[in-house]
Amino acid sequence: MRALAAASRPLFSDLPSLVRSWLPPSSFKTFASVSSSPPSDSDLRNQSRGGLPRFFSDDLPSRKGLVVRVQGSEFWHMAKVLRLKQEDRVELFNGKGGLVEGCIQSIDKTGVDFIAQEDQKLILPQGIQWQVFAAFGTLKGGRADWLIEKCTELGASSVTPLLTERSSIISENRVDRLERVSFAAAKQCQRLHQMVLNPPIKFVTLLDHIFKSKLCLVATAEATPLLNAVNFSAKESSGLLIVGPEGDFTKKEVEMMLEAGGTAVGLGPHRLRVETATIALLATLVMLSDSQEMI
């Protein structure tokens, strides 16, 4: 628990007709076409359209012509894995919305010198920032890795392990691994804002988060189906998604969350694993909020 307590570091070409019924036509966008014209607001919203190799750097050049040094694992990926060479074009991002396009000025045995070919861009977070609270502490066999990876790809703002009556512990020494999983997923899906992996919290602390939130959805058995229960506006800046342990929350825990302001939502007739429920809930809400922004 010491390692965890100390850490706070920060899809579809043809959907079924049921889903099409609640998504407006404007929400069916293609990810295949890349515009060669100057970036529009919609281009900035969808950074997955970038075509250049993208690498992480805490330090970004603020304007065209400045140079920064890239070392460590990112240098290794550039030079040894992708075998990029001098004058090859790449992008650098800092995980906080900063993005710079440039090229490799020089390479030596210890690092790469990157020169900016344009001024740094700052891309603000888009859409509702979903904060995920999930009782996944006892997951084994890479299932926690999968949950973190998919939450990162889907754009969750943060993930917080939740300690409940039926999931009161979480394995130690897992934070570094989960952060590496999230970092790799962020690069793969080209998101510009790193997902925050928070230390675990107890159930009583969760109630305080729910009380302060304007939008909080609690996945629980036998609740109103998600699509019938949700009612939010694209103007909402953030929301909480809460998923309990395998075996679900206790009746008392559900009552306390609803009294604090949460809304119970159902995810179908079957009992779902923690990671399945988390991704099903997050993916549906991301598409719903995205479709509202397109109206």
Side-chain angles (χ1 to χ4, degrees):
M1 181 65 71
R2 292 192 301 273
L4 285 165
S8 179
R9 308 157 180 159
L11 298 156
F12 47 90
S13 60
D14 186 22
L15 293 178
S17 58
L18 175 62
V19 179
R20 289 183 182 274
S21 68
W22 50 262
L23 281 178
S26 60
S27 67
F28 293 94
K29 302 174 293 183
T30 176
F31 290 86
S33 61
V34 180
S35 172
S36 59
S37 60
S40 64
D41 290 342
S42 60
D43 291 328
L44 296 181
R45 287 185 68 253
N46 183 16
Q47 290 301 315
S48 65
R49 296 182 180 183
L52 295 177
R54 184 175 293 175
F55 303 92
F56 176 81
S57 175
D58 281 316
D59 184 24
L60 295 184
S62 60
R63 62 181 184 274
K64 181 178 179 179
L66 295 183
V67 177
V68 296
R69 183 80 167 167
V70 179
Q71 297 178 294
S73 61
E74 293 296 86
F75 157 64
W76 180 267
H77 191 196
M78 274 190 196
K80 306 300 182 181
V81 178
L82 298 182
R83 299 186 180 277
L84 298 178
K85 302 185 182 301
Q86 188 175 352
E87 297 186 359
D88 281 346
R89 294 172 62 212
V90 297
E91 291 176 332
L92 294 185
F93 77 107
N94 61 5
K96 301 174 183 177
L99 179 67
V100 180
E101 183 177 325
C103 71
I104 296 175
Q105 185 181 61
S106 62
I107 304 177
D108 56 38
K109 293 182 179 180
T110 63
V112 164
D113 289 323
F114 168 92
I115 183 169
Q117 295 180 322
E118 60 180 32
D119 293 343
Q120 180 184 157
K121 300 174 185 175
L122 181 62
I123 313 298
L124 298 177
Q126 302 292 328
I128 298 177
Q129 300 302 292
W130 296 108
Q131 302 171 46
V132 176
F133 295 80
F136 64 90
T138 58
L139 298 189
K140 299 178 181 179
R143 290 165 57 195
D145 292 7
W146 190 86
L147 183 152
I148 294 297
E149 178 183 78
K150 302 312 172 189
C151 282
T152 302
E153 292 176 5
L154 287 168
S157 174
S158 66
V159 171
T160 304
L162 178 60
L163 304 180
T164 69
E165 183 175 328
R166 293 173 177 165
S167 179
S168 59
I169 60 173
I170 186 168
S171 301
E172 295 186 7
N173 303 320
R174 301 180 69 182
V175 171
D176 288 343
R177 174 180 175 81
L178 293 178
E179 286 182 340
R180 289 196 299 271
V181 168
S182 179
F183 176 73
K187 288 184 60 180
Q188 187 277 331
C189 70
Q190 295 203 327
R191 67 177 284 177
L192 295 177
H193 297 83
Q194 285 184 275
M195 186 183 75
V196 177
L197 179 59
N198 290 314
I201 63 170
K202 296 182 178 180
F203 184 78
V204 65
T205 304
L206 173 67
L207 295 177
D208 188 52
H209 285 281
I210 297 174
F211 181 77
K212 295 177 181 178
S213 175
K214 295 181 179 179
L215 175 60
C216 174
L217 303 177
V218 182
T220 186
E222 300 180 2
T224 302
L226 173 61
L227 298 183
N228 298 98
V230 294
N231 181 23
F232 60 83
S233 165
K235 296 180 181 180
E236 298 286 354
S237 60
S238 65
L240 274 56
L241 306 184
I242 302 174
V243 179
E246 299 193 8
D248 210 349
F249 293 108
T250 65
K251 182 178 179 180
K252 181 179 179 181
E253 287 172 335
V254 172
E255 291 174 349
M256 293 174 71
M257 287 187 288
L258 300 187
E259 288 175 1
T263 299
V265 296
L267 300 176
H270 305 296
R271 176 178 294 180
L272 303 180
R273 292 178 181 268
V274 177
E275 66 273 26
T276 307
T278 301
I279 301 310
L281 180 58
L282 178 59
T284 302
L285 291 170
V286 166
M287 287 193 292
L288 271 174
S289 58
D290 188 54
S291 69
Q292 289 195 9
E293 290 180 19
M294 297 297 294
I295 296 176

